[in-house]
Amino acid sequence: MVSGPNPSPVPVGPGKNKRKNEPIPLQAWDCRPWPASGDQDPNLIFAGVGVALTHWAHYETALCRLFSAFIALDRDSEAARRAFGAVRTFEARLDMLRAAADAYFKYFPSPELQTIWIEIARLGRLFAERRNEIAHGAVAQFIPRALTTAGAPDSTALMPADTNVKKRDIHGMPKYASTAAALHHYALEFERLRQAPIELAGGIVTRAQHR
């Protein structure tokens, strides 16, 4: 099992409101605070990664259906779905959706449906970073916040790979450490994300059929 460097990492948390110097509530898409200890059984983390990424895949399938609805309106378009799937990154797929949504709401205005779409795009952008951390993380020996922290030094967590310079500081310290509990939280949130695009796609199809 890979061991991390000795210095303690900067804890990840919700931060503070600069005006009032009050803690900002932790949001569902925020990185979970640094855990007190890792998981004794690494298989819990491996399983958690699989569940979370599966739910994200189902979410992207729902977005694909929404893209098809923006393009083809009252029918499911194989061409639109294949075009959406051919794009490699989630960020680019979200850009495709934005472009299609802009055109749709220009010609078929609906403040109610557009508000739903704006929230879908916002949440997708916010949760995408957590998905990327899970997809590109590695199960490794847990690093306590401080060398004096009580807890099993041989426990594990999902942390950024050693080669991921964006998620490790100049000293090599990871910027997140996800336990099975954190992965379970993200999996539930990813599962919730898919409902809104499914319903919006249905609304677009219904509008088109009624016309």
Side-chain angles (χ1 to χ4, degrees):
M1 191 170 296
V2 179
S3 60
N6 288 329
S8 59
V10 176
V12 177
K16 288 189 175 182
N17 186 315
K18 292 183 178 180
R19 283 189 175 183
K20 299 181 180 180
N21 199 31
E22 296 174 352
I24 299 174
L26 191 68
Q27 301 296 323
W29 54 80
D30 285 334
C31 188
R32 301 297 92 180
W34 202 270
S37 62
D39 290 308
Q40 292 292 321
D41 184 359
N43 289 319
L44 295 175
I45 303 175
F46 287 124
V49 169
V51 172
L53 292 182
T54 294
H55 284 312
W56 185 270
H58 290 319
Y59 165 58
E60 289 208 46
T61 298
L63 292 179
C64 181
R65 178 66 189 90
L66 176 58
F67 181 74
S68 176
F70 279 140
I71 299 297
L73 304 181
D74 62 345
R75 60 185 177 82
D76 188 24
S77 168
E78 178 70 17
R81 289 193 289 107
R82 289 181 66 84
F84 187 85
V87 177
R88 296 183 63 183
T89 68
F90 177 76
E91 290 75 13
R93 290 176 177 178
L94 199 57
D95 285 341
M96 287 179 65
L97 269 166
R98 287 193 186 98
D102 287 347
Y104 175 81
F105 289 117
K106 176 182 178 180
Y107 292 103
F108 309 104
S110 171
E112 180 182 359
L113 295 184
Q114 191 166 14
T115 298
I116 295 172
W117 155 246
I118 290 172
E119 182 65 3
I120 289 172
R122 185 182 78 92
L123 291 177
R125 177 181 57 80
L126 290 168
F127 276 105
E129 187 171 0
R130 301 288 84 78
R131 177 269 173 197
N132 291 340
E133 290 171 352
I134 295 171
H136 301 293
V139 179
Q141 183 177 353
F142 173 70
I143 303 172
R145 285 176 56 179
L147 298 178
T148 57
T149 298
D154 58 345
S155 61
T156 57
L158 183 75
M159 294 184 287
D162 291 339
T163 54
N164 190 345
V165 295
K166 291 184 178 180
K167 293 295 180 177
R168 286 182 178 265
D169 67 17
I170 193 65
H171 303 293
M173 295 309 304
K175 295 184 178 180
Y176 67 88
S178 296
T179 61
L183 293 168
H184 178 68
H185 162 79
Y186 296 136
L188 290 177
E189 294 299 328
F190 295 168
E191 185 178 24
R192 291 189 183 102
L193 286 176
R194 64 189 293 264
Q195 190 60 39
I198 289 173
E199 291 179 357
L200 179 55
I204 291 170
V205 170
T206 299
R207 287 185 81 201
Q209 291 174 342
H210 287 171
R211 283 199 307 273

